[in-house]
Amino acid sequence: MSGILQIVGQASGVSSLLSVDSSGRAVVRDADSITQTTAVNTKLTAIDGVLDNSLIQQTAVNTALTAIDAVLDNSLIQQTAVNTALGTLETSNQAIKTAVEGTLAVSAPTISTSNTLLRDAVSVADTATSTTASVDLGGVRMCAVFGSLTDVTSNIKVQVSADDSSYFDNSEQTIYVESSGDYYKTLSVDARYVKFSYTNSSGSAATWTANLSRKL
């Protein structure tokens, strides 16, 4: 049997508590001391609550850190995979480079020039017209005509044809003779066949030389 009996001293005003513990022994304690102990216990209980809450927060922090570690580990795995892929790509590029180096060559086709002597110092009488033989240009579109003509006051006509039968004067590309008697003209010809005609109006015979060159 246990209980508490309060005893108040009249002289000193000190309040004491008489209690009986579970063994039946009487125990006298100071009431103020009991109050302070109770206050301490209350504070200890509050501290325990704070510590418990701190422990919960620490657990949450640890959980978050664990999640961060997992993310970092996954990022490291992905980076490793990227590095592996880049290494494979570099190896492939090196293999391609090795295969290409020393085997790639660029060569220009051989360009040959064909020359046709159309007139070789031919004498053309006054008022006469001299026409060269036709030249089949095939797929060639650029050619050069050059030579000499003693009649420096006249000109040489360019004639073109699609079938080597009907010929037409090309007024856009008339050839004029220099005062020295020489002439040269680069022609852009879209027709397949071409020939040249000279009419002497100098009053005396003239000597005509003509060459046609083209690159095949």
Side-chain angles (χ1 to χ4, degrees):
M1 177 179 179
S2 63
I4 297 175
L5 176 65
Q6 183 176 8
I7 302 174
V8 180
Q10 294 180 355
S12 62
V14 176
S15 176
S16 299
L17 296 177
L18 177 63
S19 61
V20 180
D21 61 14
S22 59
S23 301
R25 293 177 296 179
V27 180
V28 178
R29 292 181 296 173
D30 191 342
D32 291 337
S33 176
I34 294 175
T35 300
Q36 292 176 357
T37 299
T38 301
V40 169
N41 289 337
T42 300
K43 290 182 179 180
L44 289 174
T45 300
I47 291 171
D48 287 341
V50 171
L51 292 175
D52 289 341
N53 185 56
S54 175
L55 181 60
I56 292 172
Q57 292 179 348
Q58 184 62 45
T59 301
V61 169
N62 291 338
T63 301
L65 290 175
T66 301
I68 291 172
D69 287 340
V71 171
L72 292 175
D73 290 341
N74 185 57
S75 176
L76 181 60
I77 292 172
Q78 292 179 347
Q79 184 61 47
T80 301
V82 169
N83 291 339
T84 302
L86 289 175
T88 302
L89 180 60
E90 183 177 357
T91 301
S92 299
N93 288 339
Q94 185 61 39
I96 293 173
K97 181 179 179 182
T98 301
V100 171
E101 284 181 348
T103 61
L104 182 63
V106 178
S107 60
T110 302
I111 299 176
S112 61
T113 301
S114 175
N115 183 78
T116 302
L117 180 60
L118 299 174
R119 283 289 183 268
D120 185 10
V122 172
S123 178
V124 181
D126 183 33
T127 71
T129 298
S130 178
T131 303
T132 69
S134 62
V135 178
D136 185 355
L137 296 177
V140 176
R141 290 294 173 262
M142 297 295 295
C143 61
V145 180
F146 54 93
S148 62
L149 180 63
T150 56
D151 179 9
V152 297
T153 62
S154 298
N155 54 62
I156 301 169
K157 293 182 179 180
V158 180
Q159 297 179 329
V160 294
S161 173
D163 55 8
D164 199 23
S165 177
S166 300
Y167 277 85
F168 306 88
D169 290 343
N170 182 356
S171 59
E172 293 181 354
Q173 295 182 314
T174 300
I175 302 170
Y176 296 95
V177 182
E178 300 291 337
S179 59
S180 63
D182 295 334
Y183 62 89
Y184 175 92
K185 189 173 183 66
T186 300
L187 303 176
S188 175
V189 183
D190 290 329
R192 178 168 178 175
Y193 299 94
V194 63
K195 62 183 180 179
F196 305 91
S197 178
Y198 159 64
T199 299
N200 186 355
S201 59
S202 65
S204 61
T207 302
W208 183 23
T209 296
N211 293 272
L212 184 142
S213 290
R214 57 194 185 279
K215 291 183 178 180
L216 305 178

